[in-house]
Amino acid sequence: MSDKFVGALRQIALMGGMHDYIAISSRELGDLLGMSQQSASKRILELLDEGLIHRDLGARRQRIRLTDKGAELLRKEYSEYQKIFEMRDHVVIKGTVITGMGEGQYYVTQAGYQDQFEQKLSFRPYDGTLNVRVSPADITKLDSLRRGGGMVVKGFEKNGRTFGDVRAYKATIQNVDCAVVLPSRSHYNDVMEVVCKYHLRRTLGLRDGEPVEVRVSLT
Amino acid sequence: MSDKFVGALRQIALMGGMHDYIAISSRELGDLLGMSQQSASKRILELLDEGLIHRDLGARRQRIRLTDKGAELLRKEYSEYQKIFEMRDHVVIKGTVITGMGEGQYYVTQAGYQDQFEQKLSFRPYDGTLNVRVSPADITKLDSLRRGGGMVVKGFEKNGRTFGDVRAYKATIQNVDCAVVLPSRSHYNDVMEVVCKYHLRRTLGLRDGEPVEVRVSLT
DNA sequence: ATTACTAGTAGACGAGTAA
DNA sequence: TTTACTCGTCTACTAGTAA
C-alpha cells in the first residue's frame, strides 16, 4: 500500500529533501521515476495527503521536503535492507546430511532435555535429530558456537548416568525453524545435531550426502 | 518497472533466500506482501521470467532462491538507501590484501594516467597498486563509488589500444595518503586498486590475507 | 514555464476453480 | 494441501488540456 510512495520519497531524499526544502518540478520528478509529469504531480498530491512531505508551492517552482513521517518510512525501508545485507545476528554453516549413530536420538528423547527444549525453543523436538557433517571451511564457526552464546540446557542424572550441559541455538534450514544442539563439553567434532518440531529429513526431502545450509541465530 | 519486483525479492532475501533455497508457499508470500495467493503466485512466475529467482518446484512445497541478478537488484536498492543515510564526507571500506594479476601495475604505469594522477592527487603513484578484496558487506559502498563522484581521469589511446576513463578518490590507509582507482566502466567486481606515492605493502608491512580499512574521501 | 483536472486505457489484482 | 489458469473489476497511468 505505502509501497507506491517510497520510490518518490527516496528520490526526494536523494536530492537532499530529508534535511531541507528542495526545488523539483513534477516533470523532473516524473523523469527520474520513469513516469509522466501528470503522474508525478498526482503522486506529490498523494504524498501530501498522506502527510509524508511538506510542500511550498511557489509561483515558479514548488519546493518539497520530507515530513518526519516520510523520513520515518524511509528509515524503516532502509532497516529492512540492513537486515538483509548486514546480518551480524546469525551465522550460516554449510555441511552435508549424514546418517548419525543414533546417539543424538538417544539424548534428545530424554525427558530431562525435552522439557527444557520445549520451554526455551517454544517447540517440542521430534524424536530424532538431523546430523550434518560441517564443511571444513565452517568448522571454526561451529567451534565458536560451542564456546559461548546461545542457551544453556542444564544437564541431569538418570539411573546413575550423567547427562551434561548442552548448548542450543535457534536456527533455520530453508526457512524451517529448528535448533542446533551442541554438547558444551565436546572433543573436536565436525558433526552438528539439529532438532526440529518435524521430521526434517522428510519435511525437506533431504537425503544422505545432500548439502544443507543451517542458519544459526546468535541472539 | 522493476519496482514491482523488489518487494517480493526483499521478502525472499529477508528469509535467507540470498544464500540458500528457502521453502515458501505462494500463500505465505502473499500474506507477507499483503496480496492474494494468486497474485503472489503470478509474481513468482514474473520473477522467474525476469531471471531474478531460481525455483525448485517440489511436490509439496516450492523452494526459492535469488539469482545473482536478483541479488544485484537488491544490492542496488540498498546502495540507494546507503547514499541517503550513510554517506557523509567519507566512507570506510573493509577488505583484505590480495595479490593482483599485475593488471593494475600495467595501467598505473601508463604516462597518460600518471600525469593526470600527479596533477589531481598531488603525488605521483609508485609503479604498482595494492589490491584489496572488498568484504561482502562493503561491496555496495564500492558500487556507489563506481557510479559517481570522485575525480575523473580521462582515458587515452596508445599504440592502437584504448585506455578508458578512470575514477579516482583520495583515500588513506592507516593514515597514509593514497588513492582508490576504479575503472568507470566495469563489471561486478570486488577487487579495489589502491595507488600511493610509496610502496604500500612495504611501507605498512602488509601481507596477503591481512585485513585493511581504506578510508575513502568523497570530496 | 509551471501544476493539475478529466477522460480513456492498460495492467495489476483477486475470486473462482482446475489440476 | 499445493500451484496457477481464466476472467471480471478496479486502480494507476498517460494524453489532452485548462489555468
Side-chain angles (χ1 to χ4, degrees):
Chain A
M1 196 62 204
S2 67
D3 222 28
K4 193 173 59 166
F5 303 128
V6 298
L9 279 181
R10 199 177 60 183
Q11 194 56 55
I12 294 164
L14 273 168
M15 302 177 82
M18 296 253 305
H19 313 288
D20 238 325
Y21 277 104
I22 56 154
I24 184 168
S25 71
S26 55
R27 175 164 300 281
E28 252 179 288
L29 184 62
D31 288 347
L32 288 163
L33 296 174
M35 52 168 63
S36 66
Q37 172 274 129
Q38 290 88 339
S39 295
S41 171
K42 189 151 176 266
R43 182 57 42 84
I44 289 167
L45 295 175
E46 289 166 345
L47 292 176
L48 275 169
D49 224 56
E50 294 284 329
L52 296 169
I53 56 170
H54 294 294
R55 185 168 66 156
D56 167 9
L57 184 46
R60 308 187 117 260
R61 305 193 82 189
Q62 63 188 345
R63 301 189 315 140
I64 292 175
R65 168 166 77 81
L66 296 202
T67 60
D68 288 346
K69 186 179 170 189
E72 186 52 36
L73 179 55
L74 274 193
R75 199 173 293 281
K76 222 185 239 166
E77 288 286 310
Y78 179 45
S79 94
E80 294 291 300
Y81 285 99
Q82 282 187 312
K83 276 182 205 157
I84 295 171
F85 288 102
E86 286 170 25
M87 298 212 205
R88 285 188 236 298
D89 56 338
H90 73 263
V91 188
V92 176
I93 296 186
K94 298 181 188 183
T96 55
V97 175
I98 58 166
T99 301
M101 294 151 297
E103 254 220 322
Q105 175 153 7
Y106 177 66
Y107 274 86
V108 169
T109 53
Q110 296 297 324
Y113 285 139
Q114 282 268 20
D115 293 341
Q116 289 184 76
F117 284 147
E118 186 165 13
Q119 187 182 31
K120 295 184 178 171
L121 302 172
S122 49
F123 66 81
R124 192 170 186 89
Y126 179 85
D127 284 349
T129 66
L130 180 75
N131 291 277
V132 175
R133 182 176 303 286
V134 176
S135 78
D138 286 348
I139 283 176
T140 50
K141 296 180 188 172
L142 190 60
D143 282 342
S144 59
L145 289 183
R146 267 197 267 265
R147 223 163 283 133
M151 342 177 197
V152 174
V153 176
K154 282 281 168 205
F156 55 93
E157 274 206 4
K158 188 180 162 190
N159 304 333
R161 177 160 179 189
T162 308
F163 292 83
D165 286 359
V166 159
R167 220 172 263 284
Y169 292 84
K170 286 191 185 184
T172 59
I173 299 180
Q174 292 171 30
N175 209 36
V176 174
D177 284 325
C178 57
V180 169
V181 178
L182 303 163
S184 284
R185 198 142 46 116
S186 103
H187 41 72
Y188 172 86
N189 194 339
D190 63 353
V191 176
M192 186 169 67
E193 308 241 20
V194 183
V195 299
C196 177
K197 186 175 177 179
Y198 313 105
H199 189 292
L200 271 172
R201 276 182 115 86
R202 200 189 315 125
T203 306
L204 298 176
L206 295 171
R207 275 175 297 193
D208 264 12
E210 247 184 290
V212 282
E213 291 197 3
V214 185
R215 176 174 305 271
V216 182
S217 167
L218 301 176
T219 55
Chain B
M1 195 62 203
S2 67
D3 222 28
K4 190 173 63 165
F5 302 128
V6 298
L9 280 181
R10 197 177 61 183
Q11 193 56 54
I12 294 164
L14 274 168
M15 302 174 85
M18 296 252 303
H19 313 286
D20 194 9
Y21 278 102
I22 57 155
I24 183 167
S25 71
S26 54
R27 176 166 300 280
E28 251 180 290
L29 184 63
D31 287 347
L32 287 164
L33 295 173
M35 53 169 61
S36 67
Q37 172 274 128
Q38 290 88 339
S39 295
S41 172
K42 190 152 176 263
R43 181 57 42 84
I44 288 167
L45 294 176
E46 290 166 346
L47 293 175
L48 275 169
D49 224 55
E50 295 285 327
L52 296 169
I53 57 170
H54 294 295
R55 182 170 69 157
D56 168 9
L57 185 46
R60 306 185 118 262
R61 306 192 80 188
Q62 63 186 347
R63 303 187 315 140
I64 292 175
R65 168 166 78 79
L66 266 62
T67 61
D68 288 346
K69 186 179 169 189
E72 184 55 31
L73 179 56
L74 274 193
R75 200 178 287 283
K76 228 184 235 166
E77 288 286 310
Y78 179 43
S79 106
E80 294 292 301
Y81 286 98
Q82 282 187 314
K83 277 184 205 159
I84 295 170
F85 290 103
E86 286 186 4
M87 290 269 189
R88 298 177 206 297
D89 58 343
H90 74 268
V91 192
V92 175
I93 296 185
K94 297 180 190 181
T96 54
V97 175
I98 58 165
T99 301
M101 294 151 295
E103 254 220 324
Q105 176 151 6
Y106 175 65
Y107 275 86
V108 169
T109 53
Q110 296 297 323
Y113 284 138
Q114 282 268 21
D115 294 342
Q116 289 184 76
F117 282 145
E118 187 164 9
Q119 187 185 30
K120 296 184 176 167
L121 302 171
S122 52
F123 67 81
R124 193 171 186 88
Y126 179 87
D127 285 345
T129 66
L130 180 75
N131 291 277
V132 175
R133 182 176 305 285
V134 176
S135 81
D138 286 345
I139 282 177
T140 52
K141 296 180 187 172
L142 190 60
D143 282 342
S144 55
L145 289 184
R146 265 197 267 267
R147 226 164 280 136
M151 344 178 195
V152 174
V153 176
K154 282 281 166 204
F156 54 92
E157 274 205 7
K158 189 181 160 190
N159 304 335
R161 177 158 178 191
T162 307
F163 291 82
D165 286 0
V166 158
R167 222 172 262 284
Y169 292 85
K170 287 190 183 182
T172 58
I173 299 179
Q174 292 171 30
N175 214 36
V176 173
D177 284 324
C178 57
V180 169
V181 177
L182 303 163
S184 284
R185 199 145 44 120
S186 107
H187 40 74
Y188 176 85
N189 193 341
D190 63 353
V191 176
M192 186 169 66
E193 307 239 16
V194 183
V195 299
C196 178
K197 187 175 178 177
Y198 314 105
H199 188 292
L200 271 171
R201 275 184 117 87
R202 199 186 318 121
T203 307
L204 299 175
L206 294 170
R207 274 174 298 191
D208 264 7
E210 258 191 274
V212 282
E213 289 196 4
V214 185
R215 182 188 176 285
V216 182
S217 167
L218 299 176
T219 53

